[in-house]
């Protein structure tokens, strides 16, 4: 073997890169160290936390949880406090979890080029904007509401992602070893972190809800919104921040911020197929679906809000289908969607990760120029639609 390459490999396996961000030191490992392992337990626990956050946000604020939707609104000029709190929580949660599980951050290989990251992320941005959602908004929130549009969109983007990842060699570009993914048993520490995450999000959202309900009762029920709007503003802001922080933490904890983890699932023909992503989505829907159905069927209005703001559109139109195809193609080409891209931008700000995040935002901004050619209209928000 080439001595120089041998030394380089030895050094790369021993070296680590440290990033100091907000006091947290995160370790960035080389691709391959964790990319070829089946980790259902932490993925399931992370998914359960996402499901609780999805239902909790709906119950407290009346809004569905969707990362791309929150960013899209900002780009369209709706700089609402809830959007800032939710997205701020997403980034803070991601940073916080990297201090607990730093090995979830990986340095992408040179074979995964900036141009590939930009092209794929542009498609992710355009597709999520045209389709009005991504893996969180449609894949979890929409499917938990049993929305036909979300079910169709999910099937379309999953199919598109699988075809793209398989045909374009995404696993090869990411340097994933072409060997079967072995089961990796979770450590006691890892399980403890996951259980603490679930307990924290449930306890915090419950506390916010109790405080808000007690305050409204003391001030006169629904009239509290008029007599003391700051209470509902605080409840909304707190719920948005906690739900965002939960998603950011869960994305890191479950390994979904790692392009290699997603790509190993999407490449159908590679022997390195990793089914961990199924446990994240399954865990989230296992909790969110019954809770969301219960909330919408038994509650007339959220704790702090006039009505539940769920999409009213039911038609399966061209815009939805094209958005699903483009979003899935981008997701399969790079192995990352909006949430993980933004979290990676702050937890592991390499040139590739920063370029990918910027490209997602540019793609969302570009989508408005394509929308007139596809027909359709934007979704309005009403209850039980």
């Amino acid at each position: 073997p080439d001595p120089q390459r041998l030394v380089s490999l030895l050094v790369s396996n021993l070296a680590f890169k440290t990033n100091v961000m907000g006091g947290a030191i995160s370790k960035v490992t080389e691709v391959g160290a964790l990319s070829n392992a089946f980790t259902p337990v932490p993925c399931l626990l992370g998914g359960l936390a996402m499901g609780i956050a999805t239902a909790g946000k709906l119950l407290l604020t009346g809004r569905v949880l969707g990362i791309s939707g929150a960013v899209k609104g900002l780009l369209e000029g709706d700089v609402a406090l809830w959007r800032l709190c939710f997205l701020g929580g997403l980034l803070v949660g991601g940073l916080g979890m990297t201090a607990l599980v730093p090995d979830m951050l990986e340095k992408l290989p040179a074979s995964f080029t900036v141009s590939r990251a930009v092209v794929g992320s542009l498609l992710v941005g355009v597709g999520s904007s045209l389709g009005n959602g991504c893996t969180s908004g449609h894949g979890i929130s929409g499917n938990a509401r049993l929305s036909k549009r979300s079910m169709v969109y999910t099937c379309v983007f999953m199919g598109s992602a699988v075809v793209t990842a398989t045909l374009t060699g995404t696993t090869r570009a990411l340097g994933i070893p072409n060997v079967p993914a072995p089961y990796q048993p979770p450590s006691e520490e890892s399980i403890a972190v996951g259980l603490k995450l679930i307990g924290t999000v449930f306890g915090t959202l419950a506390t916010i809800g109790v405080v808000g309900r007690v305050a409204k009762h003391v001030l006169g029920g629904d009239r509290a919104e008029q007599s003391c709007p700051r209470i509902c503003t605080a409840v909304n802001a707190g719920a948005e921040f906690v739900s965002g922080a939960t998603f950011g933490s869960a994305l890191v904890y479950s390994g979904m911020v790692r392009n290699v983890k997603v790509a190993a699932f999407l490449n159908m023909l590679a022997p390195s197929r990793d089914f961990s992503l199924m446990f994240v989505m399954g865990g989230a829907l296992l909790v969110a679906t019954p809770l969301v159905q219960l909330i919408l069927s038994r509650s007339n209005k959220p704790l702090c809000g006039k009505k539940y703001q769920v999409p009213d559109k039911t038609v399966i139109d061209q815009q939805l289908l094209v958005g699903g195809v483009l979003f899935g193609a981008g997701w399969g080409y790079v192995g990352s969607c909006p949430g993980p891209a933004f979290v990676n931008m702050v937890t592991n700000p390499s040139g590739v990760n920063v370029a990918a995040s910027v490209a997602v935002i540019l793609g969302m901004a570009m989508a408005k120029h394509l929308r007139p050619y596809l027909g359709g209209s934007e979704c309005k928000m009403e209850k039980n639609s």
Side-chain angles (χ1 to χ4, degrees):
D2 184 359
Q4 184 176 358
R5 177 167 176 74
L6 180 61
V7 172
S8 176
L9 289 173
L10 290 174
V11 171
S12 65
N13 287 329
L14 295 174
F16 67 89
K17 173 184 175 183
T18 58
N19 296 309
V20 180
M21 296 171 252
I25 299 180
S26 58
K27 177 181 174 183
V28 181
T29 60
E30 294 290 338
V31 168
L34 296 172
S35 61
N36 198 35
F38 175 46
T39 56
V41 176
C43 287
L44 178 62
L45 294 177
L48 294 175
M50 292 180 183
I52 295 173
T54 299
K57 171 173 172 170
L58 180 66
L59 177 64
L60 296 178
T61 71
R63 287 183 286 270
V64 295
L65 191 153
I67 296 171
S68 61
V71 176
K72 178 183 173 184
L74 289 178
L75 295 175
E76 294 176 347
D78 182 11
V79 190
L81 176 62
W82 74 263
R83 297 182 190 276
L84 300 177
C85 290
F86 175 73
L87 294 173
L90 179 76
L91 303 182
V92 170
L95 279 170
M97 185 56 71
T98 57
L100 299 176
V101 287
D103 287 338
M104 286 302 163
L105 302 181
E106 288 186 326
K107 180 181 178 181
L108 297 173
S111 56
F112 189 81
T113 62
V114 173
S115 61
R116 186 182 187 106
V118 169
V119 171
S121 298
L122 280 172
L123 291 174
V124 165
V126 173
S128 61
S129 183
L130 291 177
N132 292 304
C134 55
T135 52
S136 58
H138 277 301
I140 298 177
S141 296
N143 287 327
R145 290 186 291 107
L146 305 182
S147 164
K148 292 181 181 179
R149 277 175 56 89
S150 292
M151 292 178 184
V152 170
Y153 183 83
T154 301
C155 290
V156 171
F157 81 65
M158 285 300 301
S160 177
V162 167
V163 170
T164 303
T166 302
L167 295 181
T168 64
T170 305
T171 53
R172 184 174 62 253
L174 285 165
I176 300 176
N178 199 30
V179 294
Y183 169 69
Q184 179 177 307
S187 64
E188 293 184 2
E189 181 182 0
S190 175
I191 294 177
V193 170
L195 293 176
K196 287 179 181 178
L197 174 60
I198 293 173
T200 299
V201 61
F202 181 82
T204 305
L205 288 175
T207 300
I208 292 174
V210 170
V211 171
R213 182 169 291 276
V214 170
K216 288 183 68 175
H217 178 74
V218 171
L219 294 174
D222 291 336
R223 289 178 296 175
E225 294 183 21
Q226 288 77 37
S227 60
C228 191
R230 292 183 179 178
I231 293 177
C232 278
T233 298
V235 169
N236 270 273
E240 291 290 352
F241 182 85
V242 172
S243 60
T246 301
F247 252 74
S249 299
L251 286 172
V252 174
Y253 172 72
S254 62
M256 292 300 107
V257 291
R258 292 168 42 227
N259 306 58
V260 292
K261 192 77 170 169
V262 176
F265 169 77
L266 295 176
N267 192 333
M268 295 289 292
L269 300 181
S272 56
R273 189 87 187 277
D274 178 3
F275 291 94
S276 300
L277 185 147
M278 292 177 59
F279 286 80
V280 177
M281 297 295 291
L285 290 173
L286 181 66
V287 173
T289 303
L291 290 180
V292 167
Q293 291 300 311
L294 183 65
I295 291 169
L296 293 178
S297 63
R298 299 295 183 87
S299 175
N300 292 323
K301 60 183 296 187
L303 178 65
C304 277
K306 297 180 180 180
K307 60 184 178 181
Y308 288 105
Q309 302 177 52
V310 297
D312 70 336
K313 200 171 181 180
T314 58
V315 63
I316 310 300
D317 56 20
Q318 184 179 10
Q319 184 173 303
L320 180 79
L321 297 176
V322 171
V325 170
L326 294 179
F327 172 75
W331 192 38
Y333 196 59
V334 296
S336 180
C337 55
F342 298 139
V343 171
N344 275 329
M345 181 180 64
V346 297
T347 60
N348 185 17
S350 64
V352 173
N353 287 336
V354 172
S357 299
V358 173
V360 170
I361 295 173
L362 290 176
M364 289 183 178
M366 291 166 54
K368 66 179 180 180
H369 300 294
L370 300 176
R371 196 169 288 116
Y373 299 98
L374 298 174
S377 60
E378 289 299 294
C379 292
K380 296 180 180 179
M381 299 294 181
E382 297 293 344
K383 181 178 176 179
N384 298 334
S385 50

